Structures are given as C-alpha cells and as structure tokens.
Amino acid sequence: MPIISPVPAADDAAPPTGLSTRGRRMSFATAAAALGLGIAVVTANAGPGLGLTPVSAQPKTAGVASPNYLSPELIEFVQAQGSWVLENPSADGVIKYYGYLYDATRPLVTIANSGAPTVEAQKTEPDKNTYVVLKGQHGPDAGYSYGEHFLYQGHEIGPRGYITRINLDADPSHRVTLLASTQVAGNLPAGTNLPTFDGSAWNPFTQTLLFSAEGNWTSTGGIWEATPDFPSTAVDRLGIFGRGGYEGIQLDSDGNIWLVEDIGGKTGTASGATTNAKQPNSFVYRFVPTNKADLGAGGKLQVLQADGKNGQPVTFTGGSAPTQAQADADITSAFMADLHAYGNSFATRWITIHDTAVDGTATFNANLLAKTGGGTPFKRPENGQFRPVTKFTDFIFTETGDTNATSGANAAYGGWGGLLRLVQASPSASTGTLTLFYLGDQAHTGLDNIAFLDKDNVIAGEDAGDTMHGQRNALDSGYIFPINGNAVPTPFRFLGEGRDPSATIDSAVGGNGNDGDNEITGIHISDGNPTVTGLIGTKEPKFLNGNSGPGENSRWRFFWTQQHGDNVTYEVLPAPR
C-alpha cells in the first residue's frame, strides 16, 4: 500500500539546484484520490518543475515506531518486504522468506515469552538493488509469464547468502523468486553456499549480474558473477578480483569495473592517542578486463594511489600485516586532515597489483596486495557512482567514517565521513585528481549508498548506526547534494527515515542477533536498459522530469530498501499533480 508521510518543519537549508521550494502550493489530493487512500492529505510549498519540499530527521524515541517522512512531491510503496514468502523456497526450507531465514523455533519478530523476549529469526537484509528490463525471463512456474521488469538483490546478513529477483510485473504468488543460493563453478567447489552480498551491478558487456561480498580479505569477501534468468548460474571470480571487503561496484563505458571497499581498521592511531576512531583500512580498485565480454578471461586489478600535499604517495606503510600501524595514512596524519578539508586536491594514479596473465588465477588477498603495492587507504568508503553525461570521467564515492560521536577523528580527520570526488580525463586514464566534495558532520554522517537524481544532483543515504542514532537523537536520512561547480554543497533532506515496529523492538532488546533500528540502503535510479547504451552514467536520469508513462521500458525508476527491521523494499514515484 502506498505511504504518504506527513511533512514536519524542515531543518535543512535551501534545496539544491533545480529543486526550489518556492512557487505554487501543491496538494496530495490528486495522489490520494488516484490511489484510493482514505487518509488525511498534507499540502506543502513546492516549486514547479523539479520542486521538492525538504523534511526533517526523525528522533529516536524508545518504544516509538514511526513512518517515513518523504518530500510530499514523492510517494513510495512497498514492492517486497521481509516476510514475503518466496515462490520457490530452498529445498531444506531455510531460505523461505524474502528477508528472513526460516527456523521453526524462532518467530520472525520478537515476542514476549514468560516476560523474556524470544530469540527471533535471522534477518537477511536485502541490500543493493539493481533494476533491469529483460525479455524472455523464466521462473519456477514454467506456465507463468514473469513480465519484463525485474529488481535483483543480494542479501547482506546471515550464515548463508542468496540472490533474489523481485518480479515487478508478477502477482503475489510469483512476486519474489529465489534465483540462486549455491554456486556452480569458480575457485570454490560447485555446490558451495553463496556468501552474503552487499553490492550488485548489471554488466551490459557480459549480460550478467555482479555481486560483491563485503566480508573480509581472507575468507568471505570477493566478487561473484550470476546470470539473470532462472535458475541463475553463479560463479565466483576469486582468482580475478581476489578476496576483499568489496561493497560498491560500478562499470564504465570501457568495460572497466570499479570497486569500493569497506573494511574497518583497528581502533586507535599509531600512537594510540585517539579513541573510538578507526584506522583507514579500505581501498578503491579498478579492474581492467582482458576481454570485457568475458570476465573469465581475466585482466588487471588496480588500486588507487594518491599523493599528499607534499607530492609524496600516501600509502599503508606499516608492513604487510593488516593489523600493524600506519604512518602516512594514520588517523591523525597530515594527509587525513588535508583530505578532509575543502580546497585541497591530490594527484592520483592507478597501480596494478594483480595481473592474471602474470600471476595466474589462484585466489589471492586483494586488500593485502593493495597495502603492500602502494594503495592509499580511506575511512570506510562504501559506494560510488559516475556523474551522468561526463563520459565516465567524474566519480563520486562515499566515506562512512567512524559512526560514533565520541570518535577523536571526527572534527579534523574525517571521522564523520563524507563524499570524495575523483576526476580523470577518461575512464581508463592512468592518472586523475582527488578532492573533497562534501565533509560530513554529526547531522550528516555514515553516508553509504549513492545514486544520481540527475546530472547536477546526487543522492546519498545514511547508515549512521544505532549508536549514532541515540547520540544525536536522530534516525537516518536521505539527502540530495547539488553539484554547483566548486561550491560546497548544502545537503537537502528529501527522506527522514522512520522506524518500523520490528526495528523498534530490536533496538530495545539489543537486536536478539539482529541489527537494531533501520538503515537506508539500495538507493537505485535506472531506466533498466540492459544494453551498453543504458549503462548507468551514460544518460541523464529523468526520474522527476521527462519520464514516459507507466509500462514504458524507458521509464526511470527509483528504489530503496529500509534495511533491518521488516526489510521493506520501496519504489518511489513522483506524486500525481
């Protein structure tokens, strides 16, 4: 059922370019009438064209569940949620629901039992969404037509992972398909359970899906390739991409695959002087395939290296052991301070750390090679995307930071995270320039998922964490950051995430094995074009302006997942006017 949220007083500054709040008043009456909703309708000031009205963050209040606040020019509705039964549960019955692993002894939601809460089922937390329009796809029901519009996800949490496909054109009994839970080939044996996945992307050159396992650099991280039809054929690519804490994954027009890694480092500086701050321990990679139409042919894995203001490369210099101290990129180093200050720029280059033509295709530790090979570590980068219509020369990626208000790195060394920007002459260029695009603060921190609303406005969602929610008394938010030349962007809140009842209970009882509170993840805007010309970043998204009508394959669609709690995946639409 669609959700139309009330709009509280806004607490952010003016909206970004093209998103003016000035102009005629706009009502939800049309939307409510069209959707048959018997609810109160709220009006708000909104501008013409791409006008959106800002909303406020929602407080974290013990025992109180709350709906999402969304700019009134937008509506959202549920496309799937955690308790939705898969049309084809796994043979052992464990993978039965969209967002939960089934255990007959554990309820999906915590209930009181003789005064003590029971341990609830494991929530699998569907993560990054990938939308593709494909013809001729199949499912478990050979006699059913599954349509052409599909939304794919990996699942982030649990003892085993799996891939789901939301069949957007299907009826409830065929709504969510389990595509794969084991792999068929790769460096691991056939039949090995899939890991939990964080990121996903459509590769138009191979017509396959790529899934990233954040995991770690020794036993669980890596990249898997899967076919989109049922049953999906999943293959690990551990001999090509190696083991790493990969999360964000994007492709450019040359067929290169960009990877953003999120592995939190040890707490404390080399001197041990800074508390509750994590060492920079994650890297940005680029994979250059030998044959962009066949990843199995191998290629070169490269890591990004940046120079400090002194012109010297900033590297992980503490030796080969991942737990050793860093010098050049220590939390309180000059580089960390300079990187998180406006107006500075840093020369970059790509360094090859693994080449299958030379090094073979045995599984390797990519994070370790990045450290010993001269890569520059960052403070938990998570996702990145190319600015549209820049010919894949402008890449913006998030830094989550420490997600703790007591981190000693917050004020001056990037503890609040933010957005970094890498500009190159071409997607395959060997050098570029790195700058700070936006510096986070307590009200805008834990920036994670990212997508472009249009060529001049980028969206980022928070994953601040339950600790930070309590420290600042504010749940997560979704922001729009305008790109106005060299001006510092002012974030515009279009989404003030609420907290569903399941997450409210989890927060109160410590999660019972699950995360407390909700998180904004899987923000994804795409027209679903599966060809190379539809590669995200090639065209300017027309979600708010210029969309064709419903049912048209060229329609831009906007999805996001309210992770943890009930694990709801929403689609966002412009409200009828």
Side-chain angles (χ1 to χ4, degrees), residues 27 64 133 181 186 229 264 288 302 346 361 393 398 412 440 504 565:
S27 172
V64 176
V133 178
S181 60
D229 203 359
V288 181
Q302 302 175 327
F346 309 91
T361 56
T393 61
T398 59
T504 303

Side-chain angles (χ1 to χ4, degrees), residues 172-190:
S173 62
H174 299 89
R175 188 65 169 179
V176 186
T177 303
L178 173 63
L179 281 188
S181 60
T182 60
Q183 67 178 67
V184 300
N187 285 20
L188 299 176

Side-chain angles (χ1 to χ4, degrees), residues 210-235:
L210 296 174
F211 291 92
S212 59
E214 184 179 4
N216 58 47
W217 57 76
T218 57
S219 61
T220 56
I223 301 297
W224 274 252
E225 185 177 16
T227 54
D229 203 359
F230 176 85
S232 177
T233 299
V235 178

